[in-house]
Amino acid sequence: MLRLIATSLCLRCPHVSTLPLNLRTCVTLSSAENQQTVEALYDLSVDIQKVRKLKGWVLHQSPAYTKEVAELLRNMGASGPIIARILGVHPEAVLCNPKHMQTQRELWMSVCPNQKDLVAIIEKFPASFFTSSSHHDNQRNNIAYFQSLNLNKRIITKLMASAPQSFSRPVEQNQVMVCTLQQAYRELGGEEANMKIWLQKLLSQNPFVLLKPPEVLRQNLLFLRDKGFSTAELLRLLSSLRGFVTELNPDSMRSTLAYSQDTIGCSEAELRGIILKCPALLYYPESILAERFKGLLDAGVSMSQITEIPTVLELTTQIVNYRIQRLKARGYDVRTGSLQVLNGTKKDFEMSFGKLQLRRERPLFNPVAPLKVDD
């Protein structure tokens, strides 16, 4: 009879380097699958084959707390299918100690309105919830700090979900970046009474802004000031541009600005006006801009149309071509009409498309035209 011998691996073993950092010191890797884990996941209707294919290492860990984690989620109001989806995409959750997860739940509930909302967050961002217990003190301190700024709880929850790294690090690092943002806001003429709303909007649009060095923000502002943007325009860019801190640096902006000015054939002053309409032009790589300009021009759109509605450059070429074809099928020619109908999210486009179709199907009433009446 064959016996499978579970072999413990020390942290120097090369296989352990494939594990997430927060789990390397709390689990033991075995040469055989943990059958209790496999059976528990199977009972929960988790796709075992998918787990084996994408994150098979999880099934070799011991100890595992599959039933306990499922019970925690169930007590929070998660249904069976939701639990199966969470553990299917993030099976590492079963390696988290239930006591630590209870602490994590309490931390999240200090800013989350209710358990139903928390379950929805976990389903969308499971890795943000199932984190190492070594981060709890930092999470607690960061939550307290953002609450001291009187930020909306919804904003704090969004930060924790989409940028968990900013909560797992020492609070002092976030304090430095927030102070830098507040100082820039004041120096650019922002009103003190509106600072809280401004900061909430900025953090909501770009949660990763906290993870970048404050020096990057200062360098970007100085560069754009040298390019002729006024303090009011700089504040507008800082408020609306998602990539102002995360993607931008003077070198990349210099290259992008030169390419855009040459392609459009405009002056620096005219380019500043276009950028104020579409700040994303500052951080798109030249290769992406080239593809999107070419796609629009190949579709018969003029450069003057693009500069009038430059935000169409935020859409991929595939999306633009798809929308142009749908509009063409309804008799709308983008070569002679406004590009505004192409703009926006999928929801925005469907609303604009619906209005075009409605106008097409319902002719305008002419009050001076003679009425047709039966003899």
Side-chain angles (χ1 to χ4, degrees):
M1 186 175 71
L2 296 177
R3 292 191 304 169
L4 293 175
I5 302 175
T7 305
S8 296
L9 300 178
C10 71
L11 293 180
R12 291 188 296 273
C13 176
H15 296 292
V16 177
S17 64
T18 62
L19 300 180
L21 289 173
N22 62 320
L23 297 176
R24 291 183 192 175
T25 59
C26 60
V27 297
T28 300
L29 184 61
S30 169
S31 61
E33 288 186 349
N34 185 329
Q35 288 305 306
Q36 288 184 336
T37 302
V38 173
E39 292 171 7
L41 290 174
Y42 181 81
D43 290 341
L44 292 167
S45 300
V46 175
D47 188 342
I48 301 294
Q49 295 305 319
K50 181 179 178 182
V51 173
R52 283 196 177 107
K53 181 179 179 180
L54 301 178
K55 297 180 178 180
W57 60 268
V58 173
L59 302 178
H60 294 263
Q61 311 308 311
S62 181
Y65 307 96
T66 311
K67 293 181 180 179
E68 291 86 348
V69 171
E71 187 64 21
L72 174 74
L73 292 170
R74 193 175 293 112
N75 290 339
M76 292 165 56
S79 64
I82 289 178
I83 294 173
R85 281 196 295 271
I86 292 173
L87 298 183
V89 299
H90 193 75
E92 304 97 307
V94 305
L95 306 179
C96 296
N97 187 292
K99 291 182 179 179
H100 297 158
M101 287 302 94
Q102 186 60 37
T103 301
Q104 186 77 328
R105 174 190 166 279
E106 293 169 359
L107 282 171
W108 279 80
M109 285 305 299
S110 67
V111 290
C112 206
N114 53 63
Q115 292 194 140
K116 181 181 179 181
D117 287 353
L118 180 53
V119 168
I121 290 172
I122 297 173
E123 185 178 8
K124 189 174 182 181
F125 302 99
S128 299
F129 182 82
F130 294 104
T131 59
S132 171
S133 59
S134 63
H135 299 155
H136 287 168
D137 287 341
N138 285 336
Q139 285 178 310
R140 189 175 290 105
N141 292 337
N142 278 299
I143 289 173
Y145 170 63
F146 286 113
Q147 287 178 326
S148 73
L149 296 175
N150 295 318
L151 295 184
N152 187 300
K153 285 187 175 182
R154 181 179 57 83
I155 302 298
I156 299 176
T157 303
K158 183 175 182 179
L159 282 173
M160 290 179 68
S162 53
Q165 307 95 316
S166 59
F167 280 75
S168 61
R169 64 182 191 164
V171 66
E172 291 79 11
Q173 296 181 32
N174 287 329
Q175 290 173 333
V176 170
M177 190 58 192
V178 169
C179 288
T180 302
L181 289 168
Q182 291 173 327
Q183 181 181 357
Y185 175 82
R186 294 188 183 98
E187 291 177 353
L188 295 175
E191 296 182 8
E192 195 73 26
N194 295 329
M195 182 184 290
K196 188 185 82 169
I197 296 175
W198 175 82
L199 186 62
Q200 286 192 156
K201 179 182 177 183
L202 184 68
L203 295 178
S204 177
Q205 289 180 334
N206 186 5
F208 297 100
V209 68
L210 297 169
L211 300 176
K212 295 297 179 177
E215 293 75 21
V216 176
L217 172 64
R218 300 190 187 99
Q219 290 172 3
N220 291 340
L221 289 173
L222 289 173
F223 173 81
L224 292 173
R225 181 173 287 167
D226 290 342
K227 285 295 181 180
F229 286 95
S230 66
T231 54
E233 290 170 341
L234 287 174
L235 180 60
R236 182 175 164 186
L237 287 174
L238 180 60
S239 303
S240 63
L241 186 58
R242 290 189 61 181
F244 196 90
V245 177
T246 52
E247 286 93 358
L248 289 181
N249 62 70
D251 290 337
S252 66
M253 282 193 288
R254 189 177 290 108
S255 173
T256 300
L257 290 174
Y259 172 79
S260 296
Q261 186 176 355
D262 182 62
T263 302
I264 296 171
C266 61
S267 66
E268 286 192 359
E270 290 171 330
L271 183 60
R272 286 197 298 271
I274 295 170
I275 288 171
L276 289 172
K277 291 181 181 178
C278 181
L281 278 174
L282 282 173
Y283 65 83
Y284 279 138
E286 185 177 320
S287 58
I288 290 180
L289 285 177
E291 178 191 354
R292 295 183 182 181
F293 272 117
K294 184 178 184 301
L296 287 164
L297 295 174
D298 287 349
V301 174
S302 68
M303 189 61 75
S304 61
Q305 286 178 290
I306 297 175
T307 55
E308 181 183 357
I309 311 290
T311 44
V312 294
L313 292 168
E314 296 180 9
L315 303 171
T316 66
T317 302
Q318 291 82 356
I319 291 176
V320 167
N321 288 336
Y322 169 74
R323 293 181 179 183
I324 286 176
Q325 291 304 314
R326 286 194 63 188
L327 291 169
K328 185 178 180 180
R330 289 294 176 183
Y332 186 88
D333 190 349
V334 294
R335 296 173 297 179
T336 56
S338 171
L339 297 186
Q340 186 61 48
V341 69
L342 285 175
N343 242 350
T345 63
K346 179 181 179 180
K347 182 179 179 181
D348 296 332
F349 173 73
E350 294 298 340
M351 288 181 63
S352 299
F353 184 77
K355 291 177 181 177
L356 282 176
Q357 185 176 354
L358 184 63
R359 286 200 296 268
R360 177 184 174 87
E361 294 175 350
R362 188 180 63 190
L364 294 176
F365 172 66
N366 186 348
V368 297
L371 294 176
K372 293 181 179 181
V373 296
D374 294 333
D375 294 334

